[in-house]
């Protein structure tokens, strides 16, 4: 399809979606039953293997939008049918999507497919403390105070700290980014990019205050409850309670008759994706949260 010129002299480039062929090899019956409601959907191949897992507040509209996306041609070519699972709201869909991607490892979900080993920056209470990189395998991030940022690698944590130090004109030596030599100014101070805490021009107390203020923007929120809590969502009279304990999603209680309760796991672990899904709406007071018994 060639570009065309309108009567006003405007050139209109062709839209790739207009020339994209609909994937008729995908079972039409599986598409016809898709609801216009919240939940997750799974594209599967001829051997029932999951290819892609997504979520939406309108499953039908979102799935059909995939069909008109040329960039997803490879995934669509492999697909044979689509299945779905309803949730009572967007939070439930996000939590379920995150869990299923980790469990099923679908080929085309690259971002959430692997469970990440996290690290964070921890700052001690002493004014001469320097941030240190700590790992989730060693600490319970849901209970540990004074953690700042969630990172996939030590290098990423150090690069973020370096960015903060440079922007705030903090001392690289006192923040552990370079070796400190008593009585000698760091290189950053020599080129007027450090306020001089390394040589006493700025007090250690003031430097620590500025460092902590800068880090506070990415403080990791500890779990604010004693135990498990339920996030309640409702859609068309159907209610679900999504059970979360110390930033670990345990499952959802379906309040329909005969639904099975969620069981407390033998070992719970801080989950970075659950944390990122919930922390902002929780802080903004957007969630209906109540205690649950497991």
């Amino acid at each position: 399809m060639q570009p065309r010129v309108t009567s006003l002299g405007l050139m209109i480039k062709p839209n790739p979606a207009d020339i994209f062929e609909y994937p008729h090899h995908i079972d039409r019956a599986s598409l016809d039953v898709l609801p216009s409601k919240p939940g997750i959907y799974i594209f599967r191949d001829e051997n029932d293997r999951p290819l892609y897992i997504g979520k939406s507040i309108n499953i039908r509209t979102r799935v059909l939008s995939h069909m008109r996306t040329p960039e997803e041609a490879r995934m669509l070519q492999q697909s044979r049918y689509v299945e779905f699972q309803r949730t009572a709201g967007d939070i439930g869909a996000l939590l379920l999507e995150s869990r299923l991607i980790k469990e099923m490892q679908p080929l085309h979900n690259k971002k959430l497919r692997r469970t990440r080993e996290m690290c964070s920056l921890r700052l001690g209470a002493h004014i001469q403390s320097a941030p240190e990189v700590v790992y989730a395998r060693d600490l319970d991030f849901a209970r540990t105070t004074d953690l700042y940022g969630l990172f996939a690698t030590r290098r990423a944590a150090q690069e973020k700290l370096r960015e903060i130090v440079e922007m705030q004109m903090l001392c690289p030596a006192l923040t552990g980014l370079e070796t400190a030599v008593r009585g000698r100014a760091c290189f950053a101070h020599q080129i007027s990019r450090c306020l001089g805490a390394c040589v006493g021009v700025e007090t250690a107390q003031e430097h620590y205050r500025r460092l902590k203020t800068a880090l506070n923007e990415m403080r990791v929120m500890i779990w604010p409850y004693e135990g498990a809590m339920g996030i309640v969502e409702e859609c068309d009279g159907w209610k679900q309670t999504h059970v979360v304990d110390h930033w670990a999603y345990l499952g959802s209680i379906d309040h329909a008759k005969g639904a099975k309760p969620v069981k407390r796991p033998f070992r719970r672990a801080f989950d970075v994706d659950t944390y990122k899904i919930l922390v902002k709406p929780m802080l903004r007071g957007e969630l209906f949260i109540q205690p649950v018994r497991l």
Side-chain angles (χ1 to χ4, degrees), residues 43 45 49-53 74-75 78 101 104-111 113-114:
F43 281 85
D45 68 10
R49 293 173 298 196
L51 296 171
Y52 181 82
I53 299 174
R74 181 168 175 264
M75 185 271 289
Q78 296 173 296
I101 289 172
M104 296 184 176
Q105 298 285 294
L107 179 63
H108 294 278
N109 289 94
K110 295 181 180 180
K111 290 185 178 181
R113 195 166 61 195
R114 292 179 178 85

Side-chain angles (χ1 to χ4, degrees), residues 121 158-170 210-211 214-215 218:
L121 294 167
Q158 291 178 324
E159 286 180 351
K160 182 61 178 179
L161 177 59
R162 187 176 300 278
E163 176 186 322
I164 290 173
V165 167
E166 291 177 355
M167 289 182 61
Q168 301 298 325
M169 297 185 69
L170 295 163
R210 293 197 303 114
L211 171 61
L215 290 172
M218 56 180 189

Side-chain angles (χ1 to χ4, degrees), residues 62-235:
R62 184 69 186 97
V63 169
L64 294 181
S65 73
H66 284 283
M67 308 296 180
R68 300 185 294 270
T69 306
E71 292 78 12
E72 298 182 15
R74 181 168 175 264
M75 185 271 289
L76 294 172
Q77 185 178 19
Q78 296 173 296
S79 300
R80 291 298 177 269
Y81 68 96
V82 181
E83 65 181 42
F84 71 92
Q85 184 173 334
R86 282 280 316 279
T87 62
D90 189 42
I91 292 294
L94 284 164
L95 293 170
L96 184 58
E97 176 196 39
S98 174
R99 166 183 274 189
L100 292 180
I101 289 172
K102 292 185 181 72
E103 292 177 352
M104 296 184 176
Q105 298 285 294
L107 179 63
H108 294 278
N109 289 94
K110 295 181 180 180
K111 290 185 178 181
L112 293 176
R113 195 166 61 195
R114 292 179 178 85
T115 302
R116 290 167 281 181
E117 181 182 32
M118 292 169 301
C119 59
S120 183
L121 294 167
R122 181 170 65 177
L123 182 64
H126 194 276
I127 61 172
Q128 293 183 341
S129 298
E132 61 174 328
V133 179
V134 294
Y135 294 86
R137 65 174 180 262
D138 302 320
L139 296 172
D140 182 355
F141 280 15
R143 298 175 182 269
T144 305
T145 60
D146 299 318
L147 295 182
Y148 303 92
L150 295 169
F151 308 95
T153 64
R154 179 183 183 88
R155 180 178 178 180
Q158 291 178 324
E159 286 180 351
K160 182 61 178 179
L161 177 59
R162 187 176 300 278
E163 176 186 322
I164 290 173
V165 167
E166 291 177 355
M167 289 182 61
Q168 301 298 325
M169 297 185 69
L170 295 163
C171 180
L174 296 188
T175 51
L177 293 174
E178 66 178 55
T179 302
V181 179
R182 179 180 289 274
R184 182 182 298 177
C186 69
F187 177 72
H189 183 61
Q190 296 175 41
I191 58 175
S192 302
R193 293 183 181 176
C194 160
L195 297 188
C198 44
V199 288
V201 176
E202 179 183 37
T203 67
Q205 184 175 5
E206 177 61 17
H207 182 271
Y208 178 84
R209 184 196 65 78
R210 293 197 303 114
L211 171 61
K212 192 164 187 177
T213 298
L215 290 172
N216 265 333
E217 294 185 6
M218 56 180 189
R219 177 188 290 273
V220 177
M221 180 180 174
I222 64 171
W223 182 246
Y225 305 101
E226 292 185 4
M229 301 295 288
I231 300 167
V232 181
E233 289 188 305
E234 188 170 347
C235 180

